[in-house]
Amino acid sequence: MRTRKATLAGLGMFLTTGLTISPVAAGEAVGQTDLTPKDISRVIAVTRPTEDFSKAESFELMQGGAGTSPRGVSADSFSDFSANITFAEEEEFKLGNALFRKLWVSSPSSTQASDGLGPLFNARACQSCHLKDGRGHPPEGDRDHTSMFFRLARAAATAEEQAKLERLDIASLPDPVYGGQLQDQAVPGISAEGRMAITYTEEPVTLSGGERVKLRRPSYSVSDLNYGPLDPTTVLSPRIANPMIGLGLIEAIPEQDIRALADPEDLDGDGISGRAARARDHRTGEIKLGRFGWKAQNASVRDQSSSAFAGDIGISTPDDPRHFGDCTDKQTACFEAATGVQPRLGDTEAPDPVLELVTFYAKNLALPKRRNVDDAQVLRGKQVFYESGCITCHRPKFVTSRKAENKAQAFQLIWPYSDFLLHDMGEGLADGQAEGDATGGEWRTPPLWGIGLTQTVSGHSFFLHDGRARNLTEAILWHGGEAEAARDAFAAANIEDRKALITFLESL
């Protein structure tokens, strides 16, 4: 029988009743002021980056807090529900899981609760992109394109369009013909938009000790366009699907704690100038902190989910009621296709509670336990990771707010290894596409928790936003811009320390 009491008992030794904020790793408490000095000191102490690498830290094994999955390593390590949700919530999770796996079909069909697909789409189910709730991949050999796609965006052509971008009325301007995303699939009777084309060239890099690594540089284009050319200013941004774990915990991090890490003018002179992204809430229109998506373009798990329903599958929801998905006025056949709206069920193709249940599922996918936290090589790799400056962006720890929407995510010590800010990653990783507050060279720091189980869960080891890196070493070596110093420290380290750092990452 699962209980929360034993798991939370240890946390209660330093997290006290009434706490509603978490401090930044730099050691300054931020946010609300209803804390006693003793409370503040305790939380600062537990979230400050360690300087002792002789042993694992307290609760480091439980990287997702009390909700961390107790199960061992398997291909389903990203698909467990949070260990601290209630029995009734387990039912909601399982219903959400069924909807996450649901294959949508084109309209009209005999399965009226499942039709509405497209007319243009990239996938028929959420699970198709996030297979086993894990990381997507680029097309490779016989691997398909399903979990990778092109985002499309163009420059503003008028003052009015520029004003919309600046107000965040829209995150980016879609291609006038192909919309905001290139869809390579379509329902019967409709032509798909086109296909992504990728070529790679290999570039050798020599590391300290004579080790040679080949980085593959991708070149992207589109082929088989069925609706004419793209706008000359449209930029292609390849994106693979992100892992689904820990999303509810990320949403529960107090906004002020993430903002406090930002240093857009690099006032401390460390070369790191992370910026907090803004995003407009889909339901309320309120501008909030962006923390989800490759460019932090969404403020909540629900917003991320509704965007994926419309953009990836072509399914309308109450928060994004586009019955025709990403179709544009230039694609007239799209708007002549039948929709899947069933008035008896609601005024969208996936009315609530569909979106609510899928969002609940996404928020409550558990983190797996860390492995080998006391292993000597893991501890050495952790020290190299810290001393190389990686934690300047990949912040190890946060404490979630006691005011989190769900008690399962409230007041948890978590280890995402991210600051959730936008950083300029250099010319090598730049996609040239602005989105929301992010420039064409900026990306949100991706959390690293679970990264060591990518091969186990997803069956591959492709990393970065477009999967160009074939392993963790290549992923580090592609870092540039604000991360250049940390990359160079890794390249200059001796072979044993580089191996240890990779072993540490594989333990996450």
Side-chain angles (χ1 to χ4, degrees):
M1 180 177 180
R2 296 184 302 103
T3 66
R4 296 179 60 194
K5 185 176 296 184
T7 311
L8 291 173
L11 290 177
M13 294 176 64
F14 53 79
L15 298 180
T16 59
T17 303
L19 184 65
T20 56
I21 66 160
S22 65
V24 300
E28 294 183 1
V30 294
Q32 301 179 25
T33 57
D34 59 343
L35 303 179
T36 67
K38 185 176 181 180
D39 291 340
I40 294 173
S41 297
R42 289 182 174 183
V43 179
I44 287 175
V46 76
T47 55
R48 180 184 294 118
T50 186
E51 296 179 356
D52 179 4
F53 301 99
S54 65
K55 62 183 183 300
E57 297 174 70
S58 298
F59 307 105
E60 193 171 4
L61 187 70
M62 306 292 284
Q63 61 183 339
T68 302
S69 173
R71 293 209 307 171
V73 173
S74 75
D76 295 317
S77 288
F78 289 179
S79 299
D80 292 332
F81 52 78
S82 299
N84 58 343
I85 62 174
T86 67
F87 184 75
E89 288 173 332
E90 288 181 26
E91 181 180 14
E92 289 183 62
F93 179 90
K94 291 172 182 176
L95 289 171
N97 184 19
L99 291 167
F100 192 81
R101 295 169 178 267
K102 178 190 185 79
L103 290 172
W104 295 85
V105 298
S106 58
S107 303
S109 76
S110 58
T111 56
Q112 293 185 354
S114 298
D115 63 0
L117 177 69
L120 299 167
F121 61 97
N122 293 102
R124 292 181 57 200
C126 306
Q127 182 77 194
S128 300
C129 292
H130 303 277
L131 186 62
K132 291 186 176 294
D133 305 295
R135 188 182 308 274
H137 57 76
E140 185 87 2
D142 60 354
R143 295 180 184 272
D144 61 26
H145 295 66
T146 305
S147 62
M148 180 175 176
F149 56 81
F150 280 151
R151 291 284 298 166
L152 308 176
R154 61 178 174 84
T158 66
E160 181 182 2
E161 288 183 340
Q162 184 62 37
K164 286 183 178 180
L165 291 172
E166 292 173 356
R167 293 193 304 265
L168 294 178
D169 292 345
I170 50 177
S172 61
L173 291 165
D175 183 87
V177 174
Y178 291 92
Q181 193 162 308
L182 185 74
Q183 269 108 16
D184 58 0
Q185 299 188 63
V187 301
I190 305 291
S191 296
E193 292 182 324
R195 297 185 63 81
M196 84 167 47
I198 313 172
T199 58
Y200 294 102
T201 57
E202 294 202 337
E203 303 175 357
V205 176
T206 301
L207 309 180
S208 173
E211 180 183 0
R212 289 176 63 83
V213 176
K214 288 185 177 180
L215 303 182
R216 59 177 192 173
R217 183 180 295 275
S219 177
Y220 297 104
S221 60
V222 291
S223 62
D224 305 322
L225 289 174
N226 286 311
Y227 299 89
L230 291 164
D231 185 272
T233 67
T234 292
V235 175
L236 308 174
S237 179
R239 312 277 177 91
I240 63 171
N242 270 310
M244 298 292 296
I245 49 176
L247 300 184
L249 293 168
I250 295 171
E251 188 169 303
I253 297 171
E255 179 174 322
Q256 62 270 20
D257 289 12
I258 295 174
R259 290 188 180 279
L261 297 172
D263 184 16
E265 305 300 326
D266 191 20
L267 297 179
D268 61 8
D270 66 354
I272 307 299
S273 52
R275 298 193 304 122
R278 299 170 302 157
R280 196 172 287 279
D281 185 276
H282 292 186
R283 284 186 291 178
T284 67
E286 180 184 356
I287 291 181
K288 298 181 178 179
L289 176 73
R291 59 180 88 192
F292 297 100
W294 281 106
K295 298 222 173 193
Q297 68 270 22
N298 283 309
S300 68
V301 178
R302 184 176 172 114
D303 285 357
Q304 187 79 2
S305 299
S306 64
S307 294
F309 264 118
D312 300 351
I313 311 176
I315 296 293
S316 59
T317 63
D319 293 14
D320 196 339
R322 291 180 287 166
H323 308 319
F324 299 95
D326 195 38
C327 293
T328 70
D329 293 340
K330 306 290 185 181
Q331 299 165 325
T332 55
C334 280
F335 291 97
E336 295 172 357
T339 74
V341 177
Q342 308 294 329
R344 62 188 176 83
L345 300 176
D347 55 6
T348 58
E349 293 164 323
D352 281 330
V354 173
L355 181 58
E356 291 175 345
L357 288 168
V358 169
T359 300
F360 185 86
Y361 171 76
K363 282 186 175 183
N364 287 282
L365 282 162
L367 270 300
K369 286 190 297 185
R370 284 279 308 279
R371 282 90 48 216
N372 305 318
V373 292
D374 284 313
D375 179 83
Q377 189 173 33
V378 169
L379 290 169
R380 176 56 187 160
K382 178 181 177 181
Q383 183 173 0
V384 176
F385 185 84
Y386 278 49
E387 292 178 349
S388 297
C390 302
I391 65 166
T392 309
C393 298
H394 290 285
R395 296 281 177 163
K397 295 172 279 185
F398 288 90
V399 173
T400 61
S401 172
R402 188 177 286 280
K403 293 183 178 179
E405 181 180 317
N406 189 318
K407 290 182 179 180
Q409 281 91 47
F411 205 50
Q412 300 295 313
L413 173 63
I414 61 173
W415 306 69
Y417 284 92
S418 174
D419 61 6
F420 304 101
L421 299 175
L422 296 174
H423 293 277
D424 188 329
M425 294 300 293
E427 185 178 348
L429 289 179
D431 66 347
Q433 186 178 113
E435 185 169 8
D437 280 339
T439 68
E442 289 181 319
W443 301 95
R444 179 203 68 157
T445 306
L448 298 181
W449 51 13
I451 198 169
L453 291 176
T454 300
Q455 181 68 55
T456 300
V457 172
S458 302
H460 66 79
S461 58
F462 297 115
F463 300 104
L464 301 178
H465 66 279
D466 56 1
R468 70 178 68 185
R470 292 163 290 191
N471 52 57
L472 291 169
T473 296
E474 290 183 21
I476 295 169
L477 294 175
W478 270 111
H479 283 51
E482 296 174 44
E484 183 176 347
R487 177 203 65 195
D488 290 349
F490 172 78
N494 62 53
I495 293 176
E496 290 74 21
D497 280 351
R498 287 199 300 271
K499 288 181 179 178
L501 190 151
I502 298 300
T503 301
F504 163 68
L505 292 176
E506 290 172 344
S507 78
L508 296 178

